[in-house]
Amino acid sequence: MTHLAHHDMKMYGGIKLYAGTGSPELAQKVADYLGEPLCGRDIIQFPNENLFVKLHSSARGQDVYVIQTTSSPVHRNLMELLIMVQTLRLDSAARITAVVPYFAYGRSDKKDQPRVPITARLVADMMEVAGADRYILIEPHAGQVQGFFSVPGDVLTAFHMIADHLKSIKPQLHDPVVVTVDLGFAKKGRNVAAEIDAPIAFIEKRRVANDAKAQALTVIGDVKNRDVVLVDDEIDTGGSIVQAVNLVKEYGARDVYVICVHPIFSASAAERLAALPVKQFITTDTVPISPEKAALLGDRLKILSVSSLLGEVILRAHEGRSVGEMFNE
Ligand code: R5P
């Protein structure tokens, strides 16, 4: 019998990448970054809408990453993720990490009125019950989502790469000011402003009960005769950003740039955005944008890929190296 010295023993096997159907292009880019193929699997929907997953090869003893965003179709994507994770667990994968670039239900993060759920907690629980040992999320709506998991994970910010893009266009910005679309985003907005060495202003916004339409009220700070960089974590219906753009324009802003990490662009958001006097929409590929919606925004749409961010974090997680080091933390 061979006795391996402790330091020779590997806890997990090689990296194995799997992807659901939520964000195939992003998954392929992550695979390209890592130089690892996406492993084969079948995902079949039966006539009764039940899903079925079959892996093409064994994942036994491997360090597995399941890349699946949970944007539209939300429930199909979520079930694909859960079923894939369970399939891998039953196949005796050594470690399973759910890589979820956009985390569905992130906005249901607290009881802010009586008799309502905390669905983000439920989603976290479901991922763990399915068999996820770890998770990787990008910019979930609220930090407390980290506390909804009892397994460890990496919660990544996309704002370093967005700030890098802003730095690259800064020479063409006239007296830029970073403006957050609501006060809840003030801290993250301040970090972006600090990275590009610009002042900060805020929009005070209130939601009316459960109405998806938000109401922007006032701008706190100076935007007059300045180029405005509006920041938010996601654009869903576009209601908040339409109000924000109109408001800063009323307050005398010059050119307006819009940043959002997650381009949900539901319903007619893309049409509404296209009609806005915005110079550039800067976003990421945590959520795929259909070619039709992208065409509406044309050259004004700048999509930064999170693939190298995810790829590097997967590599470091696999090798047991610090992720904080990537951000000088
Ligand atoms: C809200 O708290 C978020 O930060 C976004 O402002 C919101 O999700 C955007 O939603 P919509 O585009 O539907 O206004």
Side-chain angles (χ1 to χ4, degrees):
M1 185 178 170
T2 312
H3 293 277
L4 292 174
H6 182 70
H7 64 267
D8 287 334
M9 281 198 284
K10 281 179 98 178
M11 282 171 71
Y12 315 109
I15 292 182
K16 288 265 185 204
L17 300 176
Y18 285 87
T21 63
S23 45
E25 283 179 22
L26 173 60
Q28 188 55 55
K29 284 186 185 166
V30 173
D32 293 345
Y33 180 90
L34 289 164
E36 294 283 341
L38 290 172
C39 296
R41 86 303 185 253
D42 295 328
I43 301 178
I44 295 163
Q45 181 169 317
F46 293 122
N48 65 1
E49 291 184 23
N50 290 191
L51 296 174
F52 174 77
V53 167
K54 180 165 172 64
L55 311 179
H56 290 183
S57 58
S58 172
R60 184 183 295 273
Q62 304 299 303
D63 189 18
V64 174
Y65 296 81
V66 182
I67 303 166
Q68 173 72 328
T69 206
T70 50
S71 54
S72 176
V74 175
H75 300 118
R76 153 108 197 196
N77 284 340
L78 190 54
M79 282 309 293
E80 276 187 15
L81 172 68
L82 299 173
I83 297 170
M84 287 183 77
V85 168
Q86 193 215 33
T87 309
L88 288 155
R89 170 60 66 227
L90 296 176
D91 193 45
S92 303
R95 182 173 73 164
I96 303 167
T97 302
V99 182
V100 187
Y102 175 70
F103 182 73
Y105 288 101
R107 282 157 73 183
S108 176
D109 61 344
K110 58 184 163 307
K111 284 189 68 170
D112 52 3
Q113 51 183 303
R115 303 179 295 280
V116 296
I118 304 178
T119 316
R121 169 63 197 257
L122 176 63
V123 173
D125 283 346
M126 290 195 297
M127 285 164 58
E128 287 187 34
V129 167
D133 300 297
R134 302 184 72 262
Y135 62 91
I136 296 175
L137 311 181
I138 298 179
E139 217 68 64
H141 181 66
Q144 60 263 35
V145 164
Q146 298 167 43
F148 296 170
F149 290 90
S150 53
V151 294
D154 295 298
V155 173
L156 310 176
T157 178
F159 281 107
H160 293 299
M161 49 180 261
I162 289 172
D164 285 345
H165 173 73
L166 286 176
K167 281 179 204 159
S168 75
I169 61 169
K170 197 176 171 200
Q172 72 205 50
L173 300 182
H174 178 91
D175 278 346
V177 54
V178 172
V179 180
T180 70
V181 170
D182 65 35
L183 292 176
F185 213 65
K187 199 170 163 198
K188 288 205 168 142
R190 217 166 28 224
N191 294 341
V192 175
E195 286 213 48
I196 64 162
D197 199 17
I200 175 104
F202 312 98
I203 290 177
E204 193 211 4
K205 175 183 90 167
R206 265 175 228 162
R207 274 192 188 278
V208 182
N210 292 327
D211 194 339
K213 288 184 192 141
Q215 213 189 350
L217 295 177
T218 184
V219 179
I220 304 170
D222 184 16
V223 299
K224 198 170 171 56
N225 291 326
R226 289 172 172 274
D227 282 355
V228 163
V229 180
L230 274 171
V231 288
D232 205 351
D233 58 340
E234 65 178 50
I235 294 178
D236 180 4
T237 64
S240 307
I241 213 71
V242 167
Q243 286 186 317
V245 171
N246 291 335
L247 198 67
V248 295
K249 279 289 187 189
E250 271 171 38
Y251 276 68
R254 290 169 54 113
D255 289 341
V256 179
Y257 294 75
V258 167
I259 290 175
C260 78
V261 178
H262 306 297
I264 311 295
F265 295 1
S266 47
S268 53
E271 284 87 345
R272 299 170 84 183
L273 298 180
L276 288 175
V278 166
K279 193 108 180 179
Q280 195 172 44
F281 295 94
I282 301 155
T283 187
T284 80
D285 55 359
T286 58
V287 174
I289 303 176
S290 70
E292 298 75 32
K293 288 181 181 175
L296 284 170
L297 299 175
D299 290 347
R300 293 190 291 158
L301 181 63
K302 175 77 186 171
I303 303 174
L304 307 171
S305 183
V306 294
S307 53
S308 41
L309 173 66
L310 286 177
E312 184 61 24
V313 171
I314 288 172
L315 188 63
R316 285 169 181 258
H318 176 67
E319 293 175 345
R321 289 192 288 130
S322 165
V323 166
E325 266 173 12
M326 288 169 65
F327 310 109
N328 299 322
E329 285 167 2

